[in-house]
Tab-separated table of all heavy atoms in Angstrom:
chain	number	residue	atom	x	y	z
G	239	ASN	N	177.937	90.329	73.565
G	239	ASN	CA	178.580	91.654	73.272
G	239	ASN	C	178.901	91.532	71.729
G	239	ASN	O	178.929	90.372	71.186
G	239	ASN	CB	179.752	91.961	74.189
G	239	ASN	CG	180.856	90.941	73.878
G	239	ASN	OD1	181.166	90.609	72.926
G	239	ASN	ND2	181.650	90.707	75.015
G	240	PRO	N	179.245	92.576	71.181
G	240	PRO	CA	179.516	92.524	69.650
G	240	PRO	C	180.715	91.593	69.205
G	240	PRO	O	180.569	90.801	68.147
G	240	PRO	CB	179.946	94.008	69.207
G	240	PRO	CG	179.403	94.930	70.377
G	240	PRO	CD	179.439	94.035	71.557
G	241	THR	N	181.718	91.384	70.096
G	241	THR	CA	182.778	90.453	69.786
G	241	THR	C	182.308	89.009	69.733
G	241	THR	O	182.637	88.323	68.711
G	241	THR	CB	183.915	90.573	70.964
G	241	THR	OG1	184.112	92.005	71.310
G	241	THR	CG2	185.093	89.887	70.449
G	242	VAL	N	181.570	88.640	70.685
G	242	VAL	CA	181.176	87.253	70.774
G	242	VAL	C	179.943	86.989	69.799
G	242	VAL	O	179.916	86.014	69.107
G	242	VAL	CB	180.836	86.761	72.152
G	242	VAL	CG1	180.572	85.428	72.261
G	242	VAL	CG2	182.095	87.126	73.101
G	245	LEU	N	180.928	86.242	66.402
G	245	LEU	CA	181.386	84.839	66.150
G	245	LEU	C	180.435	83.845	66.219
G	245	LEU	O	180.397	82.898	65.522
G	245	LEU	CB	182.464	84.771	67.120
G	245	LEU	CG	183.806	85.464	67.077
G	245	LEU	CD1	184.566	85.422	68.395
G	245	LEU	CD2	184.753	84.924	66.032
G	246	TYR	N	179.559	83.902	67.292
G	246	TYR	CA	178.648	82.791	67.468
G	246	TYR	C	177.185	83.059	67.565
G	246	TYR	O	176.346	82.144	67.677
G	246	TYR	CB	179.086	82.133	68.872
G	246	TYR	CG	180.566	81.788	68.909
G	246	TYR	CD1	181.473	82.399	69.768
G	246	TYR	CD2	181.042	80.671	68.065
G	246	TYR	CE1	182.765	82.100	69.734
G	246	TYR	CE2	182.377	80.340	68.057
G	246	TYR	CZ	183.298	81.139	68.778
G	246	TYR	OH	184.551	80.893	68.799
G	268	ASP	N	181.535	95.504	74.853
G	268	ASP	CA	182.459	94.552	75.274
G	268	ASP	C	183.388	95.266	76.370
G	268	ASP	O	184.073	96.189	76.074
G	268	ASP	CB	183.349	94.126	74.170
G	268	ASP	CG	184.366	92.982	74.528
G	268	ASP	OD1	184.264	92.580	75.783
G	268	ASP	OD2	184.949	92.526	73.694
G	269	GLY	N	183.472	94.653	77.641
G	269	GLY	CA	184.252	95.073	78.558
G	269	GLY	C	183.708	95.171	80.013
G	269	GLY	O	182.435	95.185	80.214
G	270	GLU	N	184.588	94.970	81.091
G	270	GLU	CA	184.233	94.890	82.463
G	270	GLU	C	183.507	96.111	82.906
G	270	GLU	O	182.552	96.181	83.618
G	270	GLU	CB	185.530	94.731	83.323
G	270	GLU	CG	185.384	94.696	84.663
G	270	GLU	CD	184.804	93.292	85.214
G	270	GLU	OE1	185.161	92.274	84.648
G	270	GLU	OE2	183.990	93.344	86.247
G	273	LYS	N	179.801	96.037	82.929
G	273	LYS	CA	179.005	95.114	83.768
G	273	LYS	C	178.553	96.008	85.040
G	273	LYS	O	179.041	95.925	86.022
G	273	LYS	CB	179.981	94.134	84.302
G	273	LYS	CG	179.324	92.939	84.990
G	273	LYS	CD	180.289	91.901	85.490
G	273	LYS	CE	180.590	92.038	86.868
G	273	LYS	NZ	181.335	90.878	87.365
G	300	GLY	N	178.806	84.382	76.231
G	300	GLY	CA	180.040	85.250	76.429
G	300	GLY	C	180.912	84.821	77.514
G	300	GLY	O	180.734	83.745	78.143
G	301	GLY	N	181.731	85.615	77.986
G	301	GLY	CA	182.689	85.440	79.145
G	301	GLY	C	181.924	85.752	80.353
G	301	GLY	O	180.774	85.865	80.484
G	302	GLY	N	182.772	85.825	81.531
G	302	GLY	CA	182.213	86.107	82.857
G	302	GLY	C	181.401	87.460	83.053
G	302	GLY	O	180.423	87.507	83.652
G	303	VAL	N	181.837	88.381	82.132
G	303	VAL	CA	181.044	89.609	82.279
G	303	VAL	C	179.747	89.438	81.801
G	303	VAL	O	178.738	89.891	82.413
G	303	VAL	CB	181.873	90.772	81.353
G	303	VAL	CG1	180.993	92.047	81.167
G	303	VAL	CG2	183.173	91.193	81.985
G	304	ILE	N	179.486	88.830	80.619
G	304	ILE	CA	178.151	88.619	80.115
G	304	ILE	C	177.318	87.636	80.913
G	304	ILE	O	176.202	87.878	81.257
G	304	ILE	CB	178.244	88.057	78.606
G	304	ILE	CG1	178.763	89.218	77.673
G	304	ILE	CG2	176.996	87.434	78.155
G	304	ILE	CD1	177.786	90.358	77.499
G	305	GLY	N	178.133	86.655	81.563
G	305	GLY	CA	177.534	85.737	82.384
G	305	GLY	C	176.927	86.239	83.607
G	305	GLY	O	175.777	86.081	84.029
G	306	ASP	N	177.742	87.213	84.249
G	306	ASP	CA	177.367	87.791	85.555
G	306	ASP	C	176.060	88.710	85.371
G	306	ASP	O	175.262	88.793	86.122
G	306	ASP	CB	178.526	88.566	86.190
G	306	ASP	CG	179.494	87.678	86.851
G	306	ASP	OD1	179.415	86.375	86.803
G	306	ASP	OD2	180.326	88.213	87.632
G	323	GLN	N	173.548	79.352	80.796
G	323	GLN	CA	174.961	79.945	80.563
G	323	GLN	C	175.528	79.199	79.366
G	323	GLN	O	175.735	77.999	79.463
G	323	GLN	CB	175.919	79.569	81.805
G	323	GLN	CG	175.465	80.498	83.102
G	323	GLN	CD	176.187	81.930	83.036
G	323	GLN	OE1	176.753	82.319	81.976
G	323	GLN	NE2	175.999	82.557	84.131
G	325	PRO	N	179.117	79.637	78.370
G	325	PRO	CA	180.326	80.516	78.551
G	325	PRO	C	181.310	80.251	77.416
G	325	PRO	O	181.515	79.175	76.894
G	325	PRO	CB	180.901	79.750	79.849
G	325	PRO	CG	180.255	78.366	79.855
G	325	PRO	CD	179.050	78.568	79.198
G	326	THR	N	182.056	81.360	76.884
G	326	THR	CA	182.950	81.194	75.682
G	326	THR	C	184.395	81.541	76.077
G	326	THR	O	185.209	81.619	75.183
G	326	THR	CB	182.470	82.057	74.664
G	326	THR	OG1	182.379	83.430	75.113
G	326	THR	CG2	181.029	81.731	74.083
G	327	THR	N	184.599	81.865	77.345
G	327	THR	CA	186.070	81.983	77.759
G	327	THR	C	186.368	80.761	78.768
G	327	THR	O	185.433	80.295	79.299
G	327	THR	CB	186.319	83.363	78.627
G	327	THR	OG1	185.693	83.308	79.746
G	327	THR	CG2	185.905	84.617	77.830
G	328	LEU	N	187.676	80.589	78.855
G	328	LEU	CA	188.072	79.357	79.794
G	328	LEU	C	187.724	79.757	81.110
G	328	LEU	O	187.164	78.829	81.847
G	328	LEU	CB	189.642	79.201	79.511
G	328	LEU	CG	190.077	77.911	80.271
G	328	LEU	CD1	189.370	76.692	79.830
G	328	LEU	CD2	191.548	77.769	79.985
G	329	LEU	N	187.897	80.917	81.523
G	329	LEU	CA	187.597	81.288	82.961
G	329	LEU	C	186.080	81.077	83.259
G	329	LEU	O	185.684	80.596	84.225
G	329	LEU	CB	187.925	82.820	83.230
G	329	LEU	CG	187.498	83.301	84.559
G	329	LEU	CD1	188.535	84.002	85.340
G	329	LEU	CD2	186.259	84.147	84.596
G	330	ALA	N	185.251	81.576	82.201
G	330	ALA	CA	183.797	81.336	82.462
G	330	ALA	C	183.397	79.889	82.381
G	330	ALA	O	182.452	79.405	83.110
G	330	ALA	CB	182.970	82.161	81.438
G	331	GLN	N	183.984	79.022	81.580
G	331	GLN	CA	183.723	77.703	81.507
G	331	GLN	C	184.052	76.948	82.694
G	331	GLN	O	183.458	75.966	82.980
G	331	GLN	CB	184.403	77.038	80.306
G	331	GLN	CG	183.903	77.645	79.017
G	331	GLN	CD	184.531	77.065	77.663
G	331	GLN	OE1	185.470	76.246	77.802
G	331	GLN	NE2	183.906	77.428	76.587
G	333	ASP	N	184.657	78.463	85.940
G	333	ASP	CA	184.393	79.187	87.039
G	333	ASP	C	183.005	79.985	87.117
G	333	ASP	O	181.936	79.539	87.654
G	333	ASP	CB	185.455	80.127	87.435
G	333	ASP	CG	185.394	80.775	88.814
G	333	ASP	OD1	184.510	80.454	89.474
G	333	ASP	OD2	186.280	81.602	89.186
G	334	SER	N	183.066	81.051	86.409
G	334	SER	CA	181.816	82.091	86.590
G	334	SER	C	180.519	81.474	86.160
G	334	SER	O	179.471	81.889	86.641
G	334	SER	CB	182.206	83.359	85.955
G	334	SER	OG	182.421	83.196	84.617
G	335	SER	N	180.483	80.533	85.198
G	335	SER	CA	179.178	80.043	84.683
G	335	SER	C	178.537	79.052	85.609
G	335	SER	O	177.314	78.784	85.534
G	335	SER	CB	179.295	79.391	83.301
G	335	SER	OG	180.088	78.238	83.420
G	336	VAL	N	179.319	78.530	86.635
G	336	VAL	CA	178.714	77.495	87.570
G	336	VAL	C	178.668	78.111	88.914
G	336	VAL	O	179.625	78.873	89.324
G	336	VAL	CB	179.774	76.292	87.568
G	336	VAL	CG1	179.457	75.216	88.575
G	336	VAL	CG2	179.941	75.634	86.216
G	337	GLY	N	177.656	77.932	89.622
G	337	GLY	CA	177.573	78.341	90.997
G	337	GLY	C	176.428	79.412	91.345
G	337	GLY	O	176.222	79.623	92.534
G	338	GLY	N	175.985	80.183	90.260
G	338	GLY	CA	174.967	81.201	90.575
G	338	GLY	C	175.214	82.387	91.241
G	338	GLY	O	174.293	83.055	91.656
G	339	LYS	N	176.451	82.757	91.281
G	339	LYS	CA	176.803	84.093	91.798
G	339	LYS	C	176.580	85.131	90.637
G	339	LYS	O	177.242	85.021	89.565
G	339	LYS	CB	178.210	84.207	92.150
G	339	LYS	CG	178.485	83.760	93.678
G	339	LYS	CD	179.866	84.108	94.015
G	339	LYS	CE	180.282	83.573	95.486
G	339	LYS	NZ	181.620	83.819	95.807
G	340	THR	N	175.672	86.023	90.834
G	340	THR	CA	175.363	86.986	89.771
G	340	THR	C	175.968	88.414	90.179
G	340	THR	O	176.148	88.519	91.490
G	340	THR	CB	173.844	87.154	89.539
G	340	THR	OG1	173.344	88.184	90.405
G	340	THR	CG2	173.202	85.902	89.783
G	341	GLY	N	176.235	89.244	89.359
G	341	GLY	CA	176.703	90.630	89.813
G	341	GLY	C	176.967	91.578	88.761
G	341	GLY	O	177.164	91.374	87.623
G	343	ASN	N	179.016	95.619	88.934
G	343	ASN	CA	179.936	96.505	89.586
G	343	ASN	C	179.326	97.718	89.963
G	343	ASN	O	178.296	98.203	89.303
G	343	ASN	CB	181.219	96.803	88.818
G	343	ASN	CG	181.921	95.487	88.355
G	343	ASN	OD1	181.806	94.452	89.051
G	343	ASN	ND2	182.499	95.522	87.143
G	348	LYS	N	183.936	96.233	92.915
G	348	LYS	CA	183.430	95.336	92.013
G	348	LYS	C	182.533	94.219	92.586
G	348	LYS	O	182.632	93.905	93.813
G	348	LYS	CB	184.809	94.581	91.630
G	348	LYS	CG	184.902	93.930	90.248
G	348	LYS	CD	186.236	93.477	89.958
G	348	LYS	CE	186.191	92.589	88.794
G	348	LYS	NZ	186.185	91.290	88.717
G	349	ASN	N	181.609	93.840	91.850
G	349	ASN	CA	180.581	92.828	92.179
G	349	ASN	C	179.848	93.063	93.494
G	349	ASN	O	179.475	92.155	94.124
G	349	ASN	CB	181.343	91.476	92.382
G	349	ASN	CG	181.873	90.938	91.064
G	349	ASN	OD1	181.284	91.231	89.967
G	349	ASN	ND2	182.964	90.130	91.072
G	365	ASP	N	185.206	74.419	71.368
G	365	ASP	CA	185.615	74.885	70.161
G	365	ASP	C	185.636	76.462	70.321
G	365	ASP	O	186.350	77.093	69.532
G	365	ASP	CB	184.658	74.534	68.982
G	365	ASP	CG	184.912	73.089	68.561
G	365	ASP	OD1	186.006	72.555	68.936
G	365	ASP	OD2	184.161	72.707	67.702
G	366	THR	N	184.863	77.103	71.156
G	366	THR	CA	184.801	78.494	71.180
G	366	THR	C	186.187	79.185	71.694
G	366	THR	O	186.495	80.149	71.415
G	366	THR	CB	183.641	79.103	72.135
G	366	THR	OG1	183.841	78.431	73.494
G	366	THR	CG2	182.281	78.646	71.665
G	367	LEU	N	186.888	78.185	72.345
G	367	LEU	CA	188.164	78.637	72.927
G	367	LEU	C	189.268	78.949	71.810
G	367	LEU	O	190.224	79.600	72.020
G	367	LEU	CB	188.730	77.607	73.918
G	367	LEU	CG	187.791	77.378	75.124
G	367	LEU	CD1	188.357	76.290	76.028
G	367	LEU	CD2	187.714	78.704	75.848
G	368	HIS	N	188.900	78.307	70.621
G	368	HIS	CA	189.988	78.573	69.577
G	368	HIS	C	189.930	80.132	69.081
G	368	HIS	O	190.939	80.533	68.515
G	368	HIS	CB	189.732	77.696	68.404
G	368	HIS	CG	189.998	76.261	68.741
G	368	HIS	ND1	191.228	75.749	69.070
G	368	HIS	CD2	189.185	75.253	68.805
G	368	HIS	CE1	191.119	74.498	69.401
G	368	HIS	NE2	189.877	74.137	69.160
G	369	SER	N	188.899	80.872	69.262
G	369	SER	CA	188.862	82.211	68.824
G	369	SER	C	189.362	83.085	70.041
G	369	SER	O	189.471	84.319	69.821
G	369	SER	CB	187.504	82.712	68.364
G	369	SER	OG	186.541	82.470	69.296
G	370	LEU	N	189.437	82.602	71.118
G	370	LEU	CA	189.798	83.379	72.429
G	370	LEU	C	191.316	83.877	72.321
G	370	LEU	O	192.089	83.134	72.004
G	370	LEU	CB	189.497	82.475	73.625
G	370	LEU	CG	189.613	83.218	74.994
G	370	LEU	CD1	188.489	84.146	75.158
G	370	LEU	CD2	189.610	82.158	76.099
G	371	PRO	N	191.474	85.233	72.582
G	371	PRO	CA	192.903	85.688	72.487
G	371	PRO	C	193.686	84.898	73.515
G	371	PRO	O	193.228	84.514	74.666
G	371	PRO	CB	192.713	87.176	73.126
G	371	PRO	CG	191.312	87.541	72.689
G	371	PRO	CD	190.523	86.313	72.834
G	374	GLU	N	193.860	85.609	77.194
G	374	GLU	CA	192.712	85.408	77.981
G	374	GLU	C	192.627	83.885	78.290
G	374	GLU	O	192.174	83.460	79.370
G	374	GLU	CB	191.384	85.708	77.140
G	374	GLU	CG	191.209	87.162	76.840
G	374	GLU	CD	190.657	87.941	78.036
G	374	GLU	OE1	190.333	87.267	79.202
G	374	GLU	OE2	190.582	89.158	77.919
G	377	SER	N	195.073	83.047	80.985
G	377	SER	CA	194.580	83.577	82.316
G	377	SER	C	193.597	82.656	82.864
G	377	SER	O	193.558	82.379	84.092
G	377	SER	CB	193.924	85.032	81.973
G	377	SER	OG	193.192	85.484	83.149
G	381	GLU	N	192.929	79.614	86.885
G	381	GLU	CA	191.760	79.131	87.702
G	381	GLU	C	191.840	77.586	87.701
G	381	GLU	O	191.438	76.983	88.685
G	381	GLU	CB	190.412	79.547	87.192
G	381	GLU	CG	190.270	81.140	87.208
G	381	GLU	CD	189.896	81.576	88.681
G	381	GLU	OE1	189.740	80.792	89.602
G	381	GLU	OE2	189.784	82.887	88.928
G	423	LYS	N	184.102	72.568	91.316
G	423	LYS	CA	183.340	73.607	91.627
G	423	LYS	C	181.813	73.160	92.063
G	423	LYS	O	181.231	73.762	93.035
G	423	LYS	CB	183.240	74.715	90.505
G	423	LYS	CG	182.362	75.790	90.970
G	423	LYS	CD	182.779	77.229	90.518
G	423	LYS	CE	181.952	78.369	91.152
G	423	LYS	NZ	182.203	79.523	90.690
G	437	ARG	N	182.718	77.325	100.503
G	437	ARG	CA	182.861	77.960	99.196
G	437	ARG	C	183.934	79.086	99.198
G	437	ARG	O	184.473	79.193	98.078
G	437	ARG	CB	181.521	78.488	98.838
G	437	ARG	CG	181.531	79.061	97.334
G	437	ARG	CD	180.112	79.289	96.840
G	437	ARG	NE	180.261	79.816	95.477
G	437	ARG	CZ	179.311	79.993	94.656
G	437	ARG	NH1	177.989	79.636	95.016
G	437	ARG	NH2	179.435	80.552	93.462
G	444	HIS	N	192.901	85.123	95.797
G	444	HIS	CA	192.038	86.215	95.571
G	444	HIS	C	192.301	87.484	96.462
G	444	HIS	O	192.028	88.522	96.026
G	444	HIS	CB	190.498	85.799	95.475
G	444	HIS	CG	190.129	85.022	94.303
G	444	HIS	ND1	190.802	83.903	93.991
G	444	HIS	CD2	189.319	85.222	93.275
G	444	HIS	CE1	190.389	83.368	92.805
G	444	HIS	NE2	189.382	84.297	92.364
G	448	HIS	N	193.002	90.214	94.172
G	448	HIS	CA	192.076	91.410	94.138
G	448	HIS	C	192.704	92.720	94.399
G	448	HIS	O	192.532	93.662	93.758
G	448	HIS	CB	190.878	91.231	95.029
G	448	HIS	CG	189.854	90.432	94.431
G	448	HIS	ND1	188.716	89.875	95.212
G	448	HIS	CD2	189.523	90.058	93.247
G	448	HIS	CE1	187.960	89.132	94.353
G	448	HIS	NE2	188.332	89.254	93.131
G	460	LEU	N	194.986	90.782	83.847
G	460	LEU	CA	193.630	90.012	83.772
G	460	LEU	C	193.524	89.305	85.146
G	460	LEU	O	194.448	89.073	85.789
G	460	LEU	CB	193.712	89.014	82.665
G	460	LEU	CG	193.956	89.611	81.197
G	460	LEU	CD1	193.989	88.506	80.199
G	460	LEU	CD2	192.698	90.412	80.943
G	461	HIS	N	192.214	88.970	85.451
G	461	HIS	CA	191.920	88.273	86.665
G	461	HIS	C	192.792	87.004	86.948
G	461	HIS	O	193.450	87.029	88.038
G	461	HIS	CB	190.462	87.864	86.613
G	461	HIS	CG	190.029	87.269	87.891
G	461	HIS	ND1	189.966	87.956	89.121
G	461	HIS	CD2	189.572	85.985	88.173
G	461	HIS	CE1	189.398	87.087	89.914
G	461	HIS	NE2	189.355	85.878	89.522
G	462	GLY	N	192.979	86.246	86.013
G	462	GLY	CA	193.848	84.937	86.195
G	462	GLY	C	195.184	85.342	86.431
G	462	GLY	O	195.992	84.529	87.242
L	605	NAD	P1	185.281	88.714	79.775
L	605	NAD	O1	183.870	88.345	79.851
L	605	NAD	O2	185.518	90.193	79.681
L	605	NAD	O3	185.845	88.178	78.406
L	605	NAD	C1	187.222	88.440	77.979
L	605	NAD	C2	187.253	88.969	76.643
L	605	NAD	O4	187.140	87.809	75.757
L	605	NAD	C3	186.090	89.965	76.147
L	605	NAD	O5	186.656	90.908	75.352
L	605	NAD	C4	185.153	89.024	75.316
L	605	NAD	O6	184.454	89.766	74.459
L	605	NAD	C5	186.109	88.086	74.758
L	605	NAD	N1	185.542	86.720	74.370
L	605	NAD	C6	184.680	86.012	75.152
L	605	NAD	N2	184.681	84.887	74.447
L	605	NAD	C7	185.311	84.861	73.398
L	605	NAD	C8	185.658	83.918	72.326
L	605	NAD	N3	185.123	82.655	72.319
L	605	NAD	N4	186.351	84.345	71.363
L	605	NAD	C9	186.952	85.625	71.203
L	605	NAD	N5	186.767	86.509	72.279
L	605	NAD	C10	185.918	86.118	73.285
L	605	NAD	O7	186.305	88.158	80.867
L	605	NAD	P2	186.146	86.663	81.675
L	605	NAD	O8	187.548	86.525	82.178
L	605	NAD	O9	185.455	85.808	81.002
L	605	NAD	O10	185.200	87.072	82.882
L	605	NAD	C11	185.595	88.080	83.838
L	605	NAD	C12	184.422	88.331	84.712
L	605	NAD	O11	183.902	87.178	85.393
L	605	NAD	C13	184.619	89.347	85.822
L	605	NAD	O12	183.453	90.423	85.697
L	605	NAD	C14	184.513	88.631	87.086
L	605	NAD	O13	184.082	89.352	88.195
L	605	NAD	C15	183.525	87.619	86.676
L	605	NAD	N6	183.525	86.333	87.534
L	605	NAD	C16	182.457	85.833	88.046
L	605	NAD	C17	182.398	84.662	88.776
L	605	NAD	C18	181.209	84.203	89.347
L	605	NAD	O14	181.207	83.195	90.156
L	605	NAD	N7	180.116	84.596	89.065
L	605	NAD	C19	183.659	84.028	89.063
L	605	NAD	C20	184.838	84.441	88.472
L	605	NAD	C21	184.721	85.757	87.674
Side-chain angles (χ1 to χ4, degrees):
N239 68 32
T241 317
V242 182
L245 291 160
Y246 306 112
D268 187 357
E270 179 74 38
K273 195 182 96 174
V303 166
I304 290 295
D306 279 11
Q323 290 276 9
T326 60
T327 64
L328 186 57
L329 176 130
Q331 294 182 352
D333 187 2
S334 60
S335 65
V336 177
K339 276 190 182 174
T340 90
N343 302 326
K348 208 171 166 262
N349 292 331
D365 282 349
T366 59
L367 298 177
H368 293 299
S369 58
L370 190 65
E374 295 283 353
S377 171
E381 294 284 356
K423 180 140 189 192
R437 189 165 175 168
H444 286 57
H448 274 162
L460 297 179
H461 181 67

